[in-house]
């Protein structure tokens, strides 16, 4: 199996000592502003630490024990039930280890994410969660800290990433719709990106495998209102659509509401399948069919990988850092 990679070796106090031409004790005294060393020596140590990007470990400073590790959990939108479920799962896994978790909601804004990482980097031992900044900037803001990214393609050996693989689940969903007699299937994709999502790519591939056109697509904000508006737009442009697959369950719930307001019965006139597997989906009427992700597995994997990176005890491999989506049929399709 491929290694997940732990990134570049963290700069240590010994590296600073070698660069400055002093002992470890002198580095410690300089960084802790002790008076036993000269001003010039202290400045030389501080310059070396800055040049190397040295961040004193909270372990090395004796501020924490292993059972009081602090982890920063970065979530883009706690109003979105999916992210709330992931946060709850991560908190539960961290509490099981006796860890302290700093939960940060970035509001899905790049400037807020940047400020969040700047604020917590010196307060935590690792960072876990959803980050949209360029990898170079995440690296700069979290230099030396273990970082576990959720739902992001693995590109840099500096980070560990937990990948969401819904390809087979989406293929099962489209195959189910096709076998149920649907020949015109549309998709409501995520509107917040400049290009189609990977879920759209899975949809298009599954449609092609069934010999169906995948051109009936509308884009939706990640909200109930967004799903409602997107379905109305889709049906206005493609009135022959009899089934829709949506980027997530929140958009799907909006589609259910729009269908009802348009006088279309679900699933008789319009079948709807979401993606995420929210508990909320079982409470709507009709209960929502979905490609479900195990949020508890997602949170547990993130915390487990952070623990392995912190203790350097053999990180999980890329093949292990995957959560698969599985079709969960209810009454909407």
């Amino acid at each position: 199996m491929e290694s997940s990679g732990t990134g570049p070796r963290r700069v240590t106090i010994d590296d600073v000592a070698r660069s400055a031409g002093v002992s470890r004790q002198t580095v410690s005294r300089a960084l802790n502003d002790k008076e036993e060393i000269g001003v010039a020596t202290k400045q030389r140590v501080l310059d070396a630490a800055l040049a190397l990007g040295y961040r004193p470990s909270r372990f090395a400073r004796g501020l924490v024990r292993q059972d009081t590790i602090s982890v920063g959990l970065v979530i883009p939108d706690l109003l979105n039930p999916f992210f709330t479920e992931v946060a709850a799962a991560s908190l539960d896994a961290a509490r099981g280890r006796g860890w302290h978790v700093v939960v940060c909601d970035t509001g899905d804004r790049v400037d807020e994410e940047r400020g969040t990482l700047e604020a917590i980097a010196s307060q935590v031992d690792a960072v876990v969660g959803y980050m949209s900044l360029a990898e170079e900037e995440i690296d700069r803001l979290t230099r030396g800290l273990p970082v576990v990214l959720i739902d992001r393609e693995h590109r840099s050996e500096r980070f560990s990433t937990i990948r969401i693989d819904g390809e087979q689940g989406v293929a099962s969903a489209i195959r189910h719709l096709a076998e149920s007699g649907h020949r015109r299937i549309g998709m409501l994709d995520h509107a917040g990106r400049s290009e189609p999502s990977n879920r759209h790519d899975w949809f298009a591939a599954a449609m092609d495998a069934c010999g169906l056109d995948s051109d009936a697509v509308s884009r939706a904000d990640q909200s109930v209102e967004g799903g409602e508006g997107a379905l109305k737009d889709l049906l206005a442009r493609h009135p022959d659509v009899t089934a829709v697959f949506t980027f997530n369950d929140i958009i799907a719930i909006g589609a259910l509401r729009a269908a009802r307001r348009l006088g279309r019965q679900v699933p008789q006139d319009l079948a709807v399948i979401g993606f995420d597997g929210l508990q909320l989906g079982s409470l709507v009427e009709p209960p929502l069919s979905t490609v479900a992700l195990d949020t508890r597995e997602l949170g547990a994997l993130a915390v487990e990988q952070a623990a392995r990176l912190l203790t350097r005890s053999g990180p999980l491999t890329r093949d292990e850092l995957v959560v698969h989506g599985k079709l969960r049929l209810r009454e909407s399709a």
Side-chain angles (χ1 to χ4, degrees), residues 124-253:
V124 299
D125 302 295
V127 179
V128 170
Y130 294 81
M131 283 159 259
S132 58
L133 289 169
E135 291 183 347
E136 295 77 12
E137 188 163 15
I138 297 174
D139 188 22
R140 178 178 65 80
L141 294 170
T142 63
R143 186 170 300 280
L145 290 178
V147 175
V148 181
L149 303 173
I150 300 176
D151 195 10
R152 184 155 170 167
E153 289 301 314
H154 188 101
R155 292 190 174 90
S156 170
E157 293 302 316
R158 164 71 176 89
F159 308 115
S160 284
T161 58
I162 298 177
R163 185 167 57 89
I164 290 176
D165 185 354
E167 185 170 10
Q168 292 305 313
V170 173
S172 296
I174 300 304
R175 189 164 54 248
H176 166 76
L177 292 173
E179 290 173 353
S180 299
H182 296 282
R183 310 311 298 166
R184 195 70 167 123
I185 304 169
M187 181 183 177
L188 305 184
D189 199 10
H190 177 15
R193 299 173 182 175
S194 59
E195 56 189 27
S197 66
N198 56 0
R199 298 177 192 184
H200 173 271
D201 294 340
W202 299 332
F203 164 76
M207 292 286 284
D208 185 61
C210 291
L212 301 175
D213 292 333
S214 58
D215 61 315
V217 177
S218 185
R219 306 189 75 176
D221 293 331
Q222 291 195 70
S223 65
V224 172
E225 294 76 16
E228 187 173 9
L231 182 68
K232 290 178 180 178
D233 171 72
L234 181 73
L235 293 180
R237 291 185 293 108
H238 304 280
D240 55 339
V241 163
T242 61
V244 291
F245 166 68
T246 68
F247 178 85
N248 64 20
D249 286 352
I250 289 297
I251 292 173
I253 290 170

Side-chain angles (χ1 to χ4, degrees), residues 74-90:
V74 180
I75 299 293
D77 182 9
L78 284 171
L79 293 177
N80 184 320
F82 176 75
F83 294 125
T84 304
E85 289 188 16
V86 173
S90 301

Side-chain angles (χ1 to χ4, degrees), residues 37-119:
I37 61 173
V39 174
T41 300
K42 177 181 176 181
Q43 189 60 52
R44 190 163 76 250
V45 170
L46 294 178
D47 289 343
L50 181 62
L52 292 172
Y54 174 65
R55 186 192 302 277
S57 165
R58 296 173 74 242
F59 291 102
R61 294 200 307 264
L63 298 180
V64 295
R65 302 186 311 277
Q66 187 169 343
D67 62 353
T68 55
I69 289 171
S70 286
V71 175
L73 176 61
V74 180
I75 299 293
D77 182 9
L78 284 171
L79 293 177
N80 184 320
F82 176 75
F83 294 125
T84 304
E85 289 188 16
V86 173
S90 301
L91 285 166
D92 188 53
R95 275 196 299 264
R97 295 176 176 273
W99 290 5
H100 173 66
V101 181
V102 180
V103 181
C104 306
D105 183 344
T106 65
D108 207 17
R109 298 194 304 273
V110 170
D111 58 337
E112 188 67 25
E113 181 182 320
R114 185 178 294 112
T116 292
L117 293 179
E118 287 178 335

